[in-house]
Amino acid sequence: MKKFLLSFVFMFSVLMAGNINMDGFVRSYIGVLTNDSLDYSIVMNTFNLNLSKTGDKMGFKVNPYIYQYSGGNMELGLREAYLDIYFPSMDLRVGKQQIIWGKADGVFITDIVSPKDLTEFILRDFDEIRMGITALKSDYYIGNNTLELVWVPVFTPTKMPPATSIWHPKMPDFPAPATFDYTRSEVRHDLKNSEVFGKFSALTGLVDFEVMGAYTWEDEPTMHVIKHFNLSNPQHPVLDSITIYPEYHRLKVGGGSFSTTIGPFVLRGEGAYYNGKYFNTTRPDAPESVVKKDYVHYLVGMDFSVKGWNTSLQFIERAILDYTDDIEQEQYSNMATFLIAKNFLYETLHISLFTYYDFTDKGSLVRPKISYDIADGVEGIVGANIFTGSEGIFGQYNDNDMVYLKLKYSF
Amino acid sequence: MRYKTAMLMGILITATGLMAQQKLTGLEVMEKVYNRPKGNDMEATLTMILINSNGDKRVRKIKQYIRDFGKVEKKIMFFVEPADVKNTSFMNWSYDDPNKDDDQWIYLPALKKVKRISSDSKGDYFMGSDFTYDDLGNRKPEEDNHKILREEKYRGEDCYVIESTPKDPDYMYSKTITWVIKGKWIGLKREFYDEDGEYLKTLNVKKYEKINGVWVLTEVEMDNAQTNHKTIMKLSDIKINSGIPARMFTERMMKRGL
């Protein structure tokens, strides 16, 4: 801890000496479960600092943060720490950085460069869900067209909540005692395990679009299952136990997105083809109970305004190709999102409602929020996260309905 | 908060254009105000001071660049204050073609991506101020019927007093009355009346000056009589025809910021 504090003192000294831009926020956040327990779902204080400088030929940014939880637990980290080098038609960015692609809101289809921090499921602000990754990124510009190439030398998976967390995904009912073995879950840090991403994007008066490709890793591991049978009676083997090996696999992804205006509407679309994903299967002869299939994931969305209420709708579908009934996931999974928001009192009072609805498992996440600007840069927020359903991505958290209060000071 | 603007420079810039004192119609007067030459490009810092009925102040500061490319006029704005919107940027392409809507994008640093937004909300208020996008100069003269009520001296200037009533009966104002300085074609004062015909607010030009041969309104104030809320807009660090490069109006600059 002392080292971190000294680091901050050092950074402030540099800041004072180097005419460096500084901004950030301090936030206090408390959430209460609305079930009978009335437990706190979160008590958290945050200090987030952005130090940056942009010159004619170079720039940099460092984004240290501290999360301090109830009980004294503390998380300190660098969300971003990179250098920029500017050329007449090209920029290079080297270091830890968040890279965000695509036109979808709150849905990850072509947006697969930066992994996610799901410590608090998807409830954090988007810039806090995104994890910075060490990468070399080059952007080559031709007018408003950009060719972006990204090399990620070290794979970083999605950060999942610990098993003790209320946000840890529910485990399925195993047919026998299960043991997790993580010996196969490491992706070695070497050149052949690096990731590459490429994107061409254009911004025009008619339409904005992106075309992307990636040779990457799946961000969440496939669960390989080895079954152990009691063969004391060879005629009737009995399943004794299972061992689950989480393991990451390579993925090849190609996709694109677009956004255009039609009268008062903004129409958006995004889709990707994923090659080489493993799915769990009940097929007895499938090695380790997995089977390799391709799938597509796509979205259409529309933004519009009705009497000052900004509204957004998105429909999302994921479809497994060459599907067989033994695959444990549904062939098609469908979801929708809905956002409505409006500002009042000279834009000091903001009201919004954002909802995910999972058609496949009939669950939802409903997120009403009211925020008030107490003064310039000082914001008080009251909101709720309401889960419905009994299974699936949202229904599994049905006992985690919560209300929360945040006070945030931006400087 | 809405992060888009309209032709802010359109209202803040005027030209000397000494016109012959001929008998003009109300529409011709308002077209001269709308079509004032503005120079090829302009760079400025815009400071907005929002004052509520209790006298509490909020401040918004924006660095903005605008350039006329012939058939399209491009603007880019970088938000400097308040801190919670710092590094947000906004870009607008406005076309001469009256049938083509503006293209608008916003870059939100928290989302780290440039997002296309709809330009179909000219009646919305700009950044929590008392100015709508239309008030900032986006409203075309042909959208209203104009009538010269009288000619009179106002603050020492010879003015036309023009009453403008919208052709769209559902428009947010039932009428406006504008005091236009003859020859300079500056709307020195404008009164706004709400949908029910009640007096709503007044725009007053407090200061204007000639910079590089172009009249620029450097301080304007909008007082809302119904809410006792007031917005003061000031322009500073103004540069006209400084040769802003085309690369300033790109996605690259929206992301990079100042």
Side-chain angles (χ1 to χ4, degrees):
Chain A
M1 173 56 62
K2 280 183 181 173
K3 282 183 184 173
F4 281 108
L5 290 175
L6 285 171
S7 300
F8 274 105
V9 171
F10 172 73
M11 280 191 292
F12 274 114
S13 306
V14 172
L15 177 71
M16 298 309 290
N19 192 23
I20 292 166
N21 296 321
M22 179 181 74
D23 59 75
F25 66 85
V26 177
R27 181 186 61 203
S28 191
Y29 172 22
I30 185 166
V32 182
L33 297 178
T34 56
N35 60 27
D36 292 340
S37 74
L38 292 179
D39 286 343
Y40 293 119
S41 59
I42 190 163
V43 179
M44 178 192 197
N45 298 301
T46 304
F47 176 60
N48 186 86
L49 182 66
N50 292 309
L51 304 175
S52 64
K53 188 166 186 173
T54 304
D56 290 337
K57 294 184 177 174
M58 290 200 70
F60 80 88
K61 180 182 175 185
V62 181
N63 176 198
Y65 67 91
I66 302 173
Y67 291 147
Q68 189 263 322
Y69 297 96
S70 59
N73 293 333
M74 194 171 280
E75 179 186 333
L76 303 101
L78 281 179
R79 187 165 288 113
E80 293 188 294
Y82 60 74
L83 290 170
D84 281 334
I85 307 171
Y86 307 128
F87 299 96
S89 299
M90 191 173 86
D91 296 338
L92 279 180
R93 177 166 291 178
V94 185
K96 193 171 187 184
Q97 53 192 295
Q98 294 172 307
I99 299 173
I100 312 299
W101 287 1
K103 306 292 184 194
D105 290 336
V107 182
F108 309 95
I109 297 175
T110 64
D111 188 10
I112 55 173
V113 186
S114 282
K116 299 179 281 292
D117 181 346
L118 300 182
T119 306
E120 201 191 347
F121 188 46
I122 54 171
L123 304 183
R124 287 186 176 174
D125 292 342
F126 280 119
D127 54 338
E128 294 176 82
I129 288 178
R130 300 305 194 167
M131 292 164 64
I133 45 163
T134 299
L136 169 63
K137 178 167 79 79
S138 71
D139 288 283
Y140 181 71
Y141 302 99
I142 312 157
N144 264 305
N145 304 323
T146 308
L147 177 63
E148 183 168 313
L149 298 172
V150 181
W151 175 55
V152 181
V154 175
F155 166 64
T156 306
T158 294
K159 184 178 179 183
M160 299 302 291
T164 53
S165 168
I166 60 172
W167 303 112
H168 191 268
K170 281 188 180 159
M171 290 291 115
D173 294 329
F174 298 115
T179 308
F180 281 83
D181 185 328
Y182 292 93
T183 55
R184 289 158 55 178
S185 64
E186 184 194 0
V187 176
R188 281 177 53 81
H189 293 183
D190 56 33
L191 184 62
K192 69 177 185 298
N193 284 335
S194 60
E195 298 175 291
V196 288
F197 302 84
K199 180 185 76 167
F200 176 80
S201 62
L203 187 148
T204 74
L206 188 65
V207 64
D208 307 336
F209 68 88
E210 298 179 359
V211 180
M212 59 76 70
Y215 182 59
T216 181
W217 293 90
E218 55 189 358
D219 279 341
E220 288 150 34
T222 300
M223 299 296 171
H224 291 252
V225 178
I226 294 183
K227 297 172 182 171
H228 307 285
F229 290 92
N230 183 338
L231 299 174
S232 56
N233 180 355
Q235 300 290 326
H236 300 285
V238 176
L239 183 60
D240 206 29
S241 64
I242 60 174
T243 305
I244 299 169
Y245 294 90
E247 187 175 342
Y248 296 95
H249 294 281
R250 280 288 192 183
L251 269 183
K252 289 175 226 164
V253 184
S257 60
F258 75 93
S259 173
T260 190
T261 310
I262 302 173
F265 302 99
V266 175
L267 180 67
R268 293 181 282 116
E270 184 167 337
Y273 183 96
Y274 292 72
N275 172 252
K277 172 71 180 169
Y278 284 85
F279 294 91
N280 286 102
T281 173
T282 56
R283 210 173 73 204
D285 62 335
E288 300 190 349
S289 299
V290 294
V291 62
K292 195 175 182 179
K293 297 286 180 183
D294 298 343
Y295 73 95
V296 292
H297 196 187
Y298 69 92
L299 165 150
V300 289
M302 187 172 279
D303 308 328
F304 52 98
S305 180
V306 181
K307 294 193 179 296
W309 290 90
N310 294 318
T311 309
S312 175
L313 282 166
Q314 297 182 125
F315 176 79
I316 307 108
E317 181 168 87
R318 192 171 92 151
I320 301 169
L321 306 178
D322 189 26
Y323 186 80
T324 50
D325 290 339
D326 51 85
I327 293 174
E328 290 182 2
Q329 281 190 269
E330 298 284 341
Q331 181 177 10
Y332 298 100
S333 52
N334 299 303
M335 192 184 293
T337 71
F338 172 67
L339 166 71
I340 187 163
K342 189 171 181 175
N343 299 316
F344 299 89
L345 303 177
Y346 286 94
E347 297 194 2
T348 54
L349 180 68
H350 317 276
I351 296 178
S352 70
L353 175 74
F354 186 63
T355 301
Y356 291 91
Y357 185 76
D358 173 7
F359 291 98
T360 309
D361 292 304
K362 297 185 172 45
S364 67
L365 167 58
V366 183
R367 309 191 68 189
K369 185 171 86 171
I370 299 173
S371 64
Y372 181 68
D373 299 340
I374 299 161
D376 276 344
V378 184
E379 186 181 23
I381 305 167
V382 179
N385 296 306
I386 302 157
F387 295 88
T388 68
S390 57
E391 56 185 336
I393 186 171
F394 305 116
Q396 65 179 321
Y397 299 122
N398 197 13
D399 291 335
N400 291 1
D401 292 352
M402 60 181 280
V403 293
Y404 65 84
L405 180 67
K406 293 181 185 177
L407 187 63
K408 184 176 177 182
Y409 172 63
S410 301
F411 58 89
Chain B
M1 182 183 296
R2 298 300 303 256
Y3 299 96
K4 60 182 190 173
T5 187
M7 294 184 178
L8 177 63
M9 295 306 127
I11 198 167
L12 296 180
I13 304 171
T14 187
T16 47
L18 296 172
M19 306 300 293
Q21 298 299 302
Q22 58 198 27
K23 198 69 181 173
L24 297 171
T25 65
L27 175 62
E28 287 168 336
V29 170
M30 297 311 284
E31 282 178 337
K32 287 181 184 299
V33 174
Y34 185 80
N35 293 321
R36 283 191 309 259
K38 296 178 283 185
N40 287 329
D41 64 55
M42 180 179 183
E43 169 187 341
T45 300
L46 170 67
T47 304
M48 286 200 304
I49 303 161
L50 282 53
I51 306 169
N52 70 13
S53 55
N54 297 324
D56 299 329
K57 290 183 181 175
R58 293 187 294 146
V59 178
R60 277 93 186 85
K61 190 173 279 187
I62 298 163
K63 184 75 181 174
Q64 54 188 10
Y65 301 82
I66 179 169
R67 179 174 158 181
D68 189 349
F69 287 83
K71 291 182 179 176
V72 58
E73 184 181 76
K74 297 184 178 180
K75 303 183 195 79
I76 190 163
M77 310 173 79
F78 301 97
F79 293 74
V80 181
E81 289 181 30
D84 55 352
V85 297
K86 188 178 177 184
N87 298 323
T88 298
S89 57
F90 168 81
M91 186 162 68
N92 185 92
W93 295 357
S94 179
Y95 300 92
D96 281 355
D97 182 351
N99 297 316
K100 188 162 171 46
D101 291 332
D102 291 3
D103 288 306
Q104 298 182 335
W105 298 268
I106 186 166
Y107 173 72
L108 298 170
L111 297 180
K112 282 192 165 49
K113 63 183 177 184
V114 172
K115 192 174 169 63
R116 179 183 281 264
I117 56 176
S118 169
S119 61
D120 189 55
S121 42
K122 293 170 182 170
D124 288 355
Y125 286 90
F126 175 64
M127 289 190 78
S129 73
D130 292 283
F131 292 84
T132 67
Y133 295 96
D134 268 359
D135 297 343
L136 291 165
N138 214 21
R139 190 166 177 83
K140 294 183 171 70
E142 57 268 27
E143 293 180 78
D144 300 312
N145 294 310
H146 306 278
K147 182 173 73 178
I148 297 177
L149 294 179
R150 58 188 180 274
E151 298 175 25
E152 67 181 23
K153 266 199 181 305
Y154 178 70
R155 285 167 48 190
E157 300 276 5
D158 289 325
C159 292
Y160 289 107
V161 182
I162 311 286
E163 181 183 86
S164 306
T165 51
K167 292 176 181 174
D168 175 5
D170 296 326
Y171 188 56
M172 62 188 301
Y173 305 130
S174 57
K175 69 175 180 183
T176 61
I177 298 175
T178 310
W179 280 253
V180 178
I181 304 174
K182 292 180 180 177
K184 293 176 182 169
W185 309 115
I186 294 171
L188 195 57
K189 175 185 173 184
R190 176 174 285 179
E191 293 176 351
F192 298 80
Y193 293 81
D194 67 15
E195 285 173 304
D196 300 323
E198 299 293 325
Y199 169 63
L200 175 63
K201 61 185 182 180
T202 298
L203 169 75
N204 269 301
V205 174
K206 296 289 188 181
K207 288 182 190 168
Y208 57 93
E209 55 189 289
K210 191 181 277 186
I211 299 174
N212 209 7
V214 174
W215 283 110
V216 180
L217 311 191
T218 51
E219 183 175 336
V220 296
E221 183 177 308
M222 184 77 90
D223 288 270
N224 189 317
Q226 294 185 3
T227 60
N228 285 324
H229 195 279
K230 179 162 71 176
T231 300
I232 300 167
M233 277 190 176
K234 294 179 179 177
L235 275 188
S236 57
D237 308 321
I238 302 161
K239 293 178 187 168
I240 305 278
N241 293 337
S242 62
I244 300 170
R247 66 174 182 275
M248 176 61 76
F249 306 92
T250 58
E251 182 180 9
R252 180 189 195 183
M253 293 310 296
M254 290 186 78
K255 288 181 174 176
R256 186 194 292 184
L258 292 172

